[in-house]
Amino acid sequence: MKINILAIESSCDETSAAVISDGKVLNNIIATQSVHEKYGGVVPELASRAHQQHLIPVVHQAMETSGISKAELSAVAFTQGPGLLGALLVGGSFAKSLAFGLGIPLIAINHMEAHVLAHFIEPPAPSFPFICLTVSGGHTQLVLVKDYLEMEVIGETLDDAVGEAFDKTAKMLGLPYPGGPEMDQLAAQGNPRAFTFPITQMKNLDFSFSGIKTAVLYFLRDQTKDDPRFIAKNLPDICASVQHALINMLMIKLRKAAKEHGINDIAIAGGVSANSGLRTALTKEAGESNWNIYVPKLEYCTDNAAMIAMAAHYKYLAGEFCDREVSPIAKMKIGNHG
Ligand code: KG4
Ligand code: ZN
């Protein structure tokens, strides 16, 4: 009998479902919520409502294209946290009802562990132990990955996530949401040394991105006072310079983490790992420091249910199931199992 799992992701603004069979991801259906664009950020209430609207069609499509019937499912998995409360509730409550209705196990997944395990969806996979830099709109973490379900956060942001720093800078520059991809494209045409922004240096492996956000705000305020067309005239250079500072901050800690832990297998995950500047910096460092680097396919970098399915497969093998009293949401921390 094969291990067939239906997985559901609804932690932020993507409603997604995927089916995995014996560790092989069969599909990854994602409904992206465009409703947030005009607000310049994710509006939690609108996200919950959109999940409610998209969830059943997305699950239907995942089941139908998998060729697996509900009766053949071994378990249902869902993202239990971290994420937006209402958004998590929609996916979690659905998964819970479906699993108990079908009389099969329910598996709760930590979204951040799933981002790391996205590396096992398609080869080449990193070998243990490796370090994963998870960079998204909500999180910035350095994770020491010892095994599929054995991870330790060795550094994280104390304030904003790096994706948030990209998005907030983009907003100040009048770019549409989400601003990360827009900034990336503009940065490619600019000079990263045109302007200098401060690099916040924490002592250990933690990050802080709130200082640069304020620095950009004051810089733009001062420059536009003298020249109201400053942003329009210098857009690619501003994007390239801010991106340069953000990537520098990530790379400094990544280098330090690799050295301190004596690890050469380095992975990146999360939406910001799509950034071409970060990818270039990583490739350069790999050449200089003898790193083996791992970057998942774009569809597995941003929020998706395939990574939830992958994590669920390992949890199924480990026999980590929920009981009937489980809450569809929880404050989940990496390394906190059971
Ligand atoms: O992982 P993700 O899809 O969602 C979560 O936040 O969990 O990440 C979204 C973040 C946004 O902040 C977006 O601006 C950023 O990833 N992002 C990028 C790029 N593509 C997406 N940031 C910089 N450069 C990119 N190419
Ligand atoms: Zn995410």
Side-chain angles (χ1 to χ4, degrees), residues 133 135-136 268-276 278-279 295-296 298 301-302:
L133 171 69
V135 277
S136 73
I268 55 171
V272 183
S273 55
N275 186 269
S276 49
L278 177 60
R279 288 177 179 221
V295 184
L298 195 58
C301 283
T302 49

Side-chain angles (χ1 to χ4, degrees), residues 113 116-117 143-145 147-153 334-335:
E113 287 186 359
V116 173
L117 294 173
V143 185
L144 177 61
V145 189
D147 208 334
Y148 298 112
L149 300 176
E150 207 189 327
M151 305 180 192
E152 186 192 332
V153 176
I334 279 187

